[in-house]
Amino acid sequence: MALAVEALEVRYGGIRAVRGVDIEVGDGEVVALLGANGAGKSSTLLAIAGAIRPYAGRVRLDGRDVTGSIPERMVRAGVAMVPETRDVFPDLTVEENLRLGAYVRRRDRADVEADRAAMFALFPRLAERAEQTAGTLSGGEQQMLVIARAMMSRPRLLLLDEPSLGLAPTIVEQIFAMIARLAATGLSILLVEQNVGKALAVADRAYVMRLGRIAAAGPARELAAAADLKEHYLGG
Amino acid sequence: MTAAIQFVIDVLSLGGAYALMALGLVIVYGILRLVNFAYGELIMAAGYTLYLVSASPLPWLVMAVLAVGAAVVTGIATDYVAFRPVRAKSVTAVLITSFAFSTLLQNAAQLLISPRPRSIPLPEVFSDTVTLFGVVTPARNLITIAAAAVLLSLFTLAMRRTVLGIAMRAAATHFTMARMLGVPANLVISTAFAISGLLAGTVALLWLGRIGTVVPRVGLEPLLIAFIATVIGGMRSLEGAVLGGFLLAFIDTALNYSLPQDLLKFRDAFTFSLVILILLWRPAGLVRGPATGQRT
């Protein structure tokens, strides 16, 4: 078991954004976390990544309790987070952004160099723009950059928050093709998405969140076939 | 012609000192979005260290290194005492704790050393004059220009070429994102304070070298200068701080040259009026910083 989230609760002041969520992501598994805006998906992801401290519940990695760890420790434990805000460092070059992604393993220079070459091979657009500042990239290129940057830490679990948000359909295709390729390498992925069709196509299993709780869960194929799914995730 | 050369040397030497002061303040502000009001005391700490070791037989250069070291240590201590315990909890609290730490250090100097000026050792070269292009100028001015040039280049190089430097620039835009890549928050912040101390300590040597003495409140003026320079230049940008420092020095020097004798004592009023005009024109400062950024 790569990741186990048990009875997770996140509160912002008096607002209970996440109300007792259980999620499991197995080794090499791609799990989608679906739901409407405000269902608590991003909060769940941020709590796993250590960016916000959970109010209650447990987060375990390979059985080890990592609840409430600081974000830098989670990266070292093998968890990489790609937030929906697509936070490139705008005044750093693409190359510098990638170099920072490898911060936790900056001493294996040869390996980092090899990984960067691999990322440039995977995302040729980034290679062309290696010396440009990240702020000058298009939205799709920035999304590729944050995914590539997260991969530079050689994570075992990738947390992806809405990678298709606000991107043109052709770019969305490319991003999901990329996710499938990363999944094929044996990486565990927890994917938050509003694009349900695409997410279920790439995922092994899925959870549907509604008002801070898990409303449905199951194999991606079964959920895709369920007629009432749209009502669930659209918050109907 | 000689007047023009004199003017340029004056602007560059004053501007070099101002730029270093401003950079030392903005390196911490950029990352924490908090002004370190105990910044002037880093200069004071360096000054008193010079005074305390003045009786020793050490060569001046060693004393100078000790003084800069004291400023670095005081800078890191500021982080541990005034910032780290409260920084995640409340902005107002940090404002007060940094003021408190500033007062504490000043009072300690008053109590343990003296409220009166104490003279500090200076190398002979500081009181020499040199003739350059027919202009007689204190050697100290040229040393200031050289020191500023060396430190600014080293600083730029470190921020561009080292992973820690890149991490610090990243942390200044998206602190949480930098942490989610594994950049340790505490390391980045402590490094910022250490650099702040290094710059303040170096400025102290040059700045106190003009007066030759140190008093407990000696840090107030540099803090004010640094603050104004960063506001003009843009609080969020390292380049802006340097630019603001040189611009402020240009304004000060130009007023020194042009104001009639009986108006000269009101020079600061003229300076501040110009600063207000600049800010009316560019409220966010001359150089706009990176697009976004949230507090830790």
Side-chain angles (χ1 to χ4, degrees):
Chain A
M1 183 62 54
L3 172 77
V5 175
E6 297 157 14
L8 185 78
E9 278 202 37
V10 175
R11 295 191 182 184
Y12 300 103
I15 300 161
R16 296 169 65 201
V18 179
R19 314 173 170 201
V21 159
D22 298 277
I23 291 172
E24 287 182 357
V25 181
D27 279 322
E29 209 181 12
V30 178
V31 174
L33 185 57
L34 311 171
N37 272 332
K41 310 179 301 290
S42 294
S43 299
T44 304
L45 233 50
L46 287 168
I48 297 170
I52 49 181
R53 190 174 280 273
Y55 181 83
R58 292 270 153 257
V59 178
R60 286 181 218 281
L61 264 185
D62 298 324
R64 212 156 48 86
D65 191 344
V66 292
T67 317
S69 289
I70 53 174
E72 42 269 51
R73 192 164 300 148
M74 292 307 289
V75 181
R76 275 170 218 280
V79 178
M81 168 79 177
V82 178
E84 69 177 322
T85 34
R86 216 169 281 157
D87 293 327
V88 297
F89 301 115
D91 52 345
L92 267 55
T93 64
V94 168
E95 198 273 329
E96 286 173 330
N97 268 277
L98 290 179
R99 206 167 153 199
L100 263 192
Y103 185 88
V104 293
R105 41 191 285 268
R106 62 194 176 283
R107 296 214 165 73
D108 331 319
R109 291 192 181 198
D111 277 3
V112 170
E113 190 50 50
D115 279 10
R116 188 172 45 186
M119 283 305 144
F120 279 152
L122 199 59
F123 302 95
R125 293 283 282 277
L126 297 182
E128 291 163 25
R129 287 159 171 68
E131 296 304 318
Q132 265 175 250
T133 55
T136 64
L137 301 184
S138 71
E141 289 162 352
Q142 291 191 351
Q143 187 61 53
M144 292 174 193
L145 177 57
V146 286
I147 294 176
R149 190 178 64 186
M151 291 306 296
M152 289 298 289
S153 69
R154 284 205 180 166
R156 289 178 301 139
L157 172 65
L158 183 64
L159 307 173
L160 277 177
D161 196 353
E162 305 249 11
S164 74
L165 192 73
L167 297 181
T170 51
I171 310 288
V172 173
E173 292 289 342
Q174 288 179 27
I175 298 282
F176 273 95
M178 216 60 72
I179 295 171
R181 283 173 72 175
L182 292 176
T185 64
L187 178 72
S188 306
I189 299 177
L190 179 55
L191 170 69
V192 162
E193 254 306 331
Q194 304 243 19
N195 190 331
V196 177
K198 288 260 180 287
L200 289 178
V202 76
D204 301 310
R205 286 189 304 116
Y207 295 88
V208 180
M209 272 186 89
R210 188 153 184 264
L211 301 172
R213 291 197 173 84
I214 300 288
R221 208 164 306 151
E222 282 177 27
L223 277 175
D228 60 346
L229 179 67
K230 277 221 150 52
E231 281 168 38
H232 269 306
Y233 75 78
L234 283 175
Chain B
M1 185 60 204
T2 53
I5 294 171
Q6 181 74 57
F7 182 77
V8 169
I9 293 177
D10 284 356
V11 170
L12 288 181
S13 67
L14 193 65
Y18 284 9
L20 294 180
M21 286 175 198
L23 197 56
L25 190 68
V26 88
I27 181 85
V28 169
Y29 180 85
I31 288 170
L32 289 179
R33 304 276 179 273
L34 292 166
V35 174
N36 173 18
F37 284 104
Y39 181 58
E41 278 56 55
L42 305 181
I43 288 173
M44 185 200 81
Y48 278 112
T49 307
L50 271 186
Y51 161 71
L52 290 174
V53 298
S54 62
S56 71
L58 295 170
W60 185 82
L61 225 48
V62 177
M63 294 184 193
V65 170
L66 287 175
V68 174
V72 171
V73 170
T74 311
I76 296 172
T78 313
D79 179 26
Y80 275 88
V81 175
F83 281 71
R84 194 166 292 190
V86 287
R87 124 192 131 210
K89 294 175 186 121
S90 151
V91 184
T92 340
V94 177
L95 204 72
I96 292 166
T97 49
S98 82
F99 264 123
F101 192 61
S102 157
T103 313
L104 185 81
L105 290 175
Q106 282 186 25
N107 289 357
Q110 270 181 27
L111 202 68
L112 302 175
I113 298 170
S114 165
R116 302 201 182 184
R118 286 287 180 253
S119 63
I120 55 169
L122 292 173
E124 277 180 17
V125 63
F126 267 47
S127 36
D128 286 349
T129 55
V130 286
T131 312
L132 194 72
F133 305 115
V135 177
V136 181
T137 186
R140 201 185 53 228
N141 281 354
L142 300 181
I143 294 171
T144 307
I145 295 174
V150 168
L151 268 182
L152 291 177
S153 325
L154 279 180
F155 181 81
T156 311
L157 210 62
M159 294 300 273
R160 303 225 163 265
R161 294 271 181 266
T162 67
V163 179
L164 189 57
I166 297 172
M168 295 191 66
R169 283 158 58 210
T173 45
H174 288 292
F175 198 89
T176 310
M177 189 62 238
R179 295 185 70 186
M180 287 195 287
L181 295 178
V183 175
N186 286 338
L187 175 71
V188 165
I189 294 168
S190 288
T191 308
F193 273 98
I195 295 174
S196 181
L198 178 72
L199 294 168
T202 313
V203 163
L205 301 176
L206 306 164
W207 188 249
L208 301 178
R210 294 166 173 253
I211 13 179
T213 57
V214 55
V215 288
R217 299 180 65 78
V218 73
L220 201 62
E221 198 189 347
L223 171 68
L224 194 62
I225 291 167
F227 194 65
I228 295 167
T230 48
V231 168
I232 300 177
M235 293 289 282
R236 305 275 300 284
S237 154
L238 300 174
E239 295 85 358
V242 172
L243 183 70
F246 278 102
L247 184 62
L248 187 60
F250 176 82
I251 294 173
D252 273 354
T253 312
L255 290 173
N256 273 347
Y257 275 59
S258 58
L259 284 180
Q261 196 63 44
D262 48 343
L263 279 181
L264 208 51
K265 57 177 173 288
F266 302 115
R267 190 198 69 186
D268 285 353
F270 286 96
T271 305
F272 286 131
S273 308
L274 281 169
V275 168
I276 290 171
L277 285 180
I278 293 173
L279 289 178
L280 284 175
W281 169 54
R282 294 292 287 262
L286 296 175
V287 180
R288 219 174 291 167
T292 58
Q294 69 282 67
R295 211 177 291 279
T296 37

